[in-house]
């Protein structure tokens, strides 16, 4: 079953992003929302982890949350797809289930 | 699809309720049915009609009430979590000897069974929280 | 098809220490209600969630209700699939002997008491999670 995982906390705040990545099955997807969009920016100490994980899962980041935080869309790690709320809805219906990591 | 929504955090303190609102509006726009929005943990605090945010900012409680009014969205507040946090409708206030109730329009208080039922009946259940 | 005939796989993921926040207690309440609806329920304890099952919790000093004995009732509600992340225990210098023994009674074997606890790796947990219909994390 293809699962969509959502994460909402910055990787600098707690280890949820890392826990999610370590437990995400291959062929699942991860959507970064709210403060977790910080995870997908280039040049952070987590950037390599995120880039390497793109081999195993698709990753998405919510555009309104990036823009709200003044994070440039040009600075998002290549391979992470930037989406809006409508695509967020599509992701939840296209996957078999959703796990929100809290 | 039928979508169930679980909200575990109160308004303003976390972005959870705001993200959920945006998600629900987008889902309605795409023609999906919102089976139920269930408020649990501090999420019950979204249901107080006494919230008075600044006029130049969004009124989260009212946004939910409006969704109930305009789209018939079922907004359910968990009774046990609500009692702990002081969110009461008229019946709960009388039963518990309180001098007033504070639940906002469009919300109803019910048991955790409503969350489980949403999980069973909806095609997807999405949680917004801390 | 009546609602009662639909059985979904519900997994509850516990990642937080008890008492610092209410999530451990309120998630347990949802688990028990879900079991009462005859759904296929499993529980995962990972990251700081492993602390929820510590033996010998004494909350007198903090003035909060000690709800740890509720976990022992899970077996009575037919909640017998409890997954504990081995790596989370290792990271915290804990072993399964630090945790409550949770059991269920198998009525097909003369009510023999069996352990509900499954120690799993993250890879195994990942596979188990991906099989669930609904996953709720508190």
């Amino acid at each position: 079953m293809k699962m969509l995982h959502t994460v909402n906390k910055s990787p600098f705040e707690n280890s949820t992003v890392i826990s999610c990545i370590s437990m995400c099955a291959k062929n699942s997807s991860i959507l970064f929302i709210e403060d977790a969009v910080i995870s997908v920016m280039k040049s952070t100490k987590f950037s390599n982890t995120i880039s390497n994980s793109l081999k195993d899962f698709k990753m998405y980041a919510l555009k309104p949350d990036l823009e709200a935080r003044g994070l440039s869309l040009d600075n998002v790690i290549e391979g992470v797809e930037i989406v809006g709320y409508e695509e967020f809805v599509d992701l939840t219906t296209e996957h078999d289930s959703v796990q929100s990591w809290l | 699809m039928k979508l169930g929504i679980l909200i575990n955090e109160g308004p303003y303190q976390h972005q959870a309720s705001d993200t959920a609102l945006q998600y629900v509006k987008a889902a309605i726009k795409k023609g999906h049915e919102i089976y139920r929005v269930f408020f649990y943990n501090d999420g019950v605090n979204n249901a107080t009609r006494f919230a008075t945010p600044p006029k130049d900012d969004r009124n989260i409680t009212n946004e939910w009430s409006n969704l109930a009014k305009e789209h018939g969205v079922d907004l359910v507040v968990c009774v046990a979590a609500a009692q702990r946090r002081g969110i009461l409708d008229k019946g709960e206030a009388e039963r518990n000897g309180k001098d007033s109730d504070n639940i906002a329009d469009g919300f109803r208080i019910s048991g955790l069974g409503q969350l489980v039922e949403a999980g069973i009946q909806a095609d997807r259940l999405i949680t917004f929280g801390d | 098809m009546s609602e009662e005939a639909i059985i979904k796989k519900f997994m509850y993921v516990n990642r937080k220490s008890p008492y610092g926040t209410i999530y451990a207690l309120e998630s347990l309440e949802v688990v028990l209600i879900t079991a009462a609806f005859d759904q296929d329920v499993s529980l995962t304890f990972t990251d700081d969630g492993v602390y929820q099952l510590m033996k010998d919790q004494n909350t007198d000093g903090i003035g909060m209700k000690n709800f740890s004995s509720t976990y022992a009732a899970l077996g009575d509600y037919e909640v017998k699939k409890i997954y504990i992340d081995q790596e989370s225990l290792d990271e915290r210098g804990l072993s399964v002997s630090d945790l409550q023994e949770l059991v269920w009674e198998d009525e097909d074997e003369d009510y023999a008491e069996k352990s509900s606890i499954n120690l799993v790796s993250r890879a195994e947990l990942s596979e188990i999670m991906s099989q669930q219909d609904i996953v709720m994390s508190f």
Side-chain angles (χ1 to χ4, degrees):
Chain A
M1 302 226 290
K2 248 181 25 167
M3 190 172 253
L4 173 71
H5 298 255
T6 69
V7 195
N8 71 335
K9 285 279 170 269
S10 164
F12 293 96
E13 179 179 337
N14 66 27
S15 61
T16 301
V17 168
I18 303 303
S19 290
C20 171
I21 287 174
S22 75
M23 269 188 263
C24 197
K26 286 193 185 174
N27 296 328
S28 297
S29 308
I30 304 180
L31 170 66
F32 296 90
I33 69 173
E34 300 176 8
D35 289 341
V37 295
I38 287 166
S39 312
V40 304
M41 302 311 290
K42 291 177 186 163
S43 310
T44 76
K45 72 178 191 186
F46 298 100
S47 302
N48 282 341
T49 303
I50 300 295
S51 294
N52 291 337
S53 301
L54 280 164
K55 292 191 230 88
D56 294 324
F57 346 97
K58 290 196 172 153
M59 291 187 170
Y60 305 86
L62 211 44
K63 185 177 173 201
D65 281 319
L66 287 160
E67 290 175 333
R69 290 157 181 78
L71 299 171
S72 167
L73 304 186
D74 295 332
N75 250 353
V76 169
I77 293 167
E78 262 97 36
V80 175
E81 208 177 311
I82 298 170
V83 296
Y85 289 109
E86 293 195 14
E87 287 130 313
F88 182 176
V89 174
D90 290 338
L91 284 169
T92 58
T93 59
E94 285 159 11
H95 286 73
D96 299 304
S97 59
V98 183
Q99 180 172 351
S100 309
W101 287 78
L102 303 177
Chain B
M1 277 206 177
K2 282 192 274 191
L3 304 172
I5 310 288
L6 170 60
I7 298 179
N8 291 342
E9 294 304 334
Y12 308 104
Q13 183 82 1
H14 295 87
Q15 197 181 352
S17 194
D18 288 288
T19 304
L21 273 166
Q22 299 295 344
Y23 177 92
V24 164
K25 288 176 187 171
I28 290 172
K29 199 165 159 201
K30 295 195 73 99
H32 294 293
E33 177 196 335
I34 304 297
Y35 183 84
R36 180 167 295 142
V37 182
F38 192 87
F39 296 87
Y40 195 43
N41 304 135
D42 275 354
V44 301
N45 290 320
N46 282 283
T48 172
R49 68 167 183 275
F50 292 155
T52 318
K55 295 249 183 310
D56 65 348
D57 198 357
R58 77 266 192 232
N59 185 319
I60 292 176
T61 302
N62 287 354
E63 297 224 23
W64 285 113
S65 297
N66 290 339
L67 280 174
K69 193 162 145 201
E70 286 158 26
H71 299 282
V73 175
D74 186 22
L75 307 175
V76 180
V77 171
C78 171
V79 59
Q83 283 175 349
R84 280 193 178 108
R85 293 160 179 84
I87 303 295
L88 302 172
D89 60 17
K90 206 150 174 279
E92 283 296 309
E94 278 166 13
R95 258 191 297 279
N96 292 286
K98 300 297 182 187
D99 58 25
S100 187
D101 65 271
N102 59 354
I103 198 156
D105 283 340
F107 290 84
R108 62 184 181 91
I109 294 185
S110 191
L112 272 170
Q114 295 278 291
L115 169 60
V116 179
E117 194 208 25
I120 295 169
Q121 296 296 335
D123 298 301
R124 300 288 182 272
L125 182 74
I126 303 109
T127 308
F128 297 91
D130 185 13
Chain C
M1 202 182 195
S2 70
E3 170 189 310
E4 284 72 41
I6 304 174
I7 298 176
K8 285 192 176 175
K9 293 204 191 82
F10 282 75
M11 171 174 274
Y12 293 94
V13 180
N14 297 288
R15 299 184 52 241
K16 301 189 171 84
S17 166
Y19 307 112
T21 57
I22 201 171
Y23 301 111
L25 170 63
E26 289 194 327
S27 98
L28 197 47
E29 291 177 350
V30 185
V31 169
L32 294 171
I33 297 279
T34 311
F37 271 67
D38 295 325
Q39 298 298 297
D40 182 342
V41 180
S42 47
L43 249 59
T44 292
F45 294 90
T46 181
D47 295 327
D48 280 350
V50 299
Y51 289 111
Q52 292 180 26
L53 294 178
M54 291 292 283
K55 290 176 184 161
D56 305 325
Q57 292 179 23
N58 177 353
T59 60
D60 292 346
I62 60 171
M64 287 168 74
K65 184 175 162 191
N66 184 346
F67 63 92
S68 57
S69 59
T70 313
Y71 292 102
L74 287 167
D76 297 335
Y77 280 74
E78 295 292 303
V79 179
K80 45 200 184 194
K81 289 191 279 193
I82 296 179
Y83 301 103
I84 298 181
D85 170 22
Q86 178 73 62
E87 284 168 58
S88 295
L89 288 176
D90 295 341
E91 282 168 354
R92 289 157 180 79
L94 296 173
S95 74
V96 75
S97 60
D98 293 307
L99 309 182
Q100 292 184 50
E101 287 170 35
L102 300 179
V103 298
W104 62 286
E105 288 175 351
D106 189 346
E107 62 182 41
D108 293 336
E109 284 186 32
D110 215 20
Y111 295 94
E113 243 181 35
K114 295 185 175 170
S115 176
S116 307
I117 289 185
N118 300 278
L119 270 180
V120 291
S121 66
R122 282 185 183 157
E124 285 164 330
L125 246 186
S126 164
E127 184 51 38
I128 295 163
M129 279 180 181
S130 70
Q131 299 306 318
Q132 303 300 313
D133 296 307
I134 289 154
V135 181
M136 282 192 247
S137 184
F138 286 91

